[in-house]
Every structure is written in structure tokens, then in C-alpha cells.
Amino acid sequence: MFLLSICRWLAETHISIMMRDATYDFAIVEVGHLLALAVFGGAVLLVNLRFLDWRFKKQPASQVARELLPLTAGGVIVMLVSGLLLFLAGPVRYYHNPAFRLKVILFVIALFFHFILQVKTARQVSDRGRTSPWLKAGAVLSLLLWFMIGLAGRAIGYV
Ligand code: HEM
């Protein structure tokens, strides 16, 4: 109930009314959400392809993790800000939407899981050798989590 009262309060804010009533704002922000998804999704895929030893094997996994961190971190911040703006177009409606609830829970899990994995690897002084089975398993789980978030995001408009 506490979260619902917060959503009801948010729905009365100026920014929520603007996102709800303005002609193009929601569509423009959603395009931004999807463009950020392309950059973020691409960077997450490249990092995990290295962790799986499927691509970029000439570079140490730590180097790939380090060099792609600005893209994954920057991308997820834009996903979060644009997602919150979309959410503000209907806080109460999204509060009751099971696909949105699942998406937010998966997003929090994926955020911690993926970035602990990427930052920990980026800090390592690894060689060009094969990655550990743990890192490979982590990469599979990371890809699965982000894919399910995308599916839940797409499903929001259908449930
Ligand atoms: C990296 C994480 C994320 C991914 C991969 C993602 C993906 C998506 C996708 C694929 C859509 C569907 C777009 C469409 O129907 O055209 C979507 C819509 C949406 N997303 Fe995200 N999203 C992410 C993070 C977030 C976050 C953090 C929030 C809010 C806190 C959020 C809120 C929304 C909302 C409200 C919609 C609009 C749903 C609708 O009314 O159709 N997203 N997202």
C-alpha cells in the first residue's frame, strides 16, 4: 500500500502530468529508451562474448571489461532515467502491471549481478588465456537476465 500511495502522489506531480498529457513526449522518451537499449544491449553482448571466450580472445578479459565499462554504465543510466520518465506517464497504471513489476525486480538483480561481474573482472590483471567456468556461467546468466528484462518491457503494453 505504501508504494501505491507513492505512485498516487507521483501521478499528481507536474512532470507526470506533462509526460501523460503532452503529445510527443512519451514517444520521444520511448525512442530514447530503445536507442539506449541498442547501445547498452550491444555493449553487454560484447563484454559477455569475451567472458564466454567466443570473441576478442586476443584481448585480456579484464581489458575488454574495462574498455566497455563506460558504455555499459552510461547506457544503463540512460535506460534508468528514460525508463523512470516513461513510468511517470502512468505510475498507478504501471504499479498494477505485472510485467512492469517483474521487469523492475529483474532489473535490480541484473544491475548488481552484471556490474559486480564486469567491475570485478575489469580490476583483475588477467592474461589472454581462457576465462574461468564461473565467469562463463556469470556471462550466460547476465545475458539471460537482460533478455528477460527486454521481454518484460515489451510485454508491459500487452498485459
Ligand atoms: C536495461 C534495462 C531495460 C531494458 C532492456 C528495457 C527494455 C524495454 C523495452 C524493450 C520496452 C518496450 C518498448 C516498446 O514497447 O516499444 C520498454 C518499455 C518501457 N520501459 Fe524499459 N527497459 C529497461 C529499463 C527500464 C527501467 C529501469 C524502467 C523504469 C524504472 C523502465 C520502464 C519502462 C516503461 C514504463 C516502458 C513503457 C511500457 C509501455 O507502456 O509500453 N525500463 N523497456
Side-chain angles (χ1 to χ4, degrees), residues 104-115 141 145-146 149:
V104 172
I105 293 166
L106 290 173
F107 179 74
V108 174
I109 296 169
L111 198 64
F112 284 97
F113 182 79
H114 174 85
F115 283 98
L141 188 55
L145 282 168
W146 294 117
I149 294 167

Side-chain angles (χ1 to χ4, degrees), residues 4-66:
L4 182 55
S5 54
I6 292 199
C7 289
R8 287 202 177 111
W9 175 81
L10 283 171
E12 301 310 318
T13 58
H14 174 68
I15 188 164
S16 178
I17 294 165
M18 186 190 73
M19 284 302 296
R20 196 169 44 244
D21 298 347
T23 312
Y24 299 112
D25 292 24
F26 187 89
I28 291 168
V29 174
E30 187 149 42
V31 168
H33 200 58
L34 293 173
L35 287 176
L37 175 56
V39 174
F40 171 72
V44 163
L45 182 63
L46 296 182
V47 168
N48 286 313
L49 284 177
R50 178 63 189 89
F51 290 173
L52 287 163
D53 272 336
W54 286 356
R55 280 290 176 278
F56 318 113
K57 289 185 258 188
K58 292 199 180 70
Q59 279 89 26
S62 60
Q63 184 189 348
V64 175
R66 227 177 358 263

Side-chain angles (χ1 to χ4, degrees), residues 26 30 33-34 37 40 75-76 79-88 93-94 97 100 103-104 107 146-147 149-158:
F26 187 89
E30 187 149 42
H33 200 58
L34 293 173
L37 175 56
F40 171 72
V76 88
M79 293 303 294
L80 185 57
V81 172
S82 58
L84 286 173
L85 283 173
L86 295 173
F87 167 74
L88 282 171
R93 179 165 53 88
Y94 288 123
N97 186 307
F100 180 77
K103 180 179 179 179
V104 172
F107 179 74
W146 294 117
F147 181 70
I149 294 167
L151 275 185
R154 189 65 212 137
I156 293 172
Y158 293 91

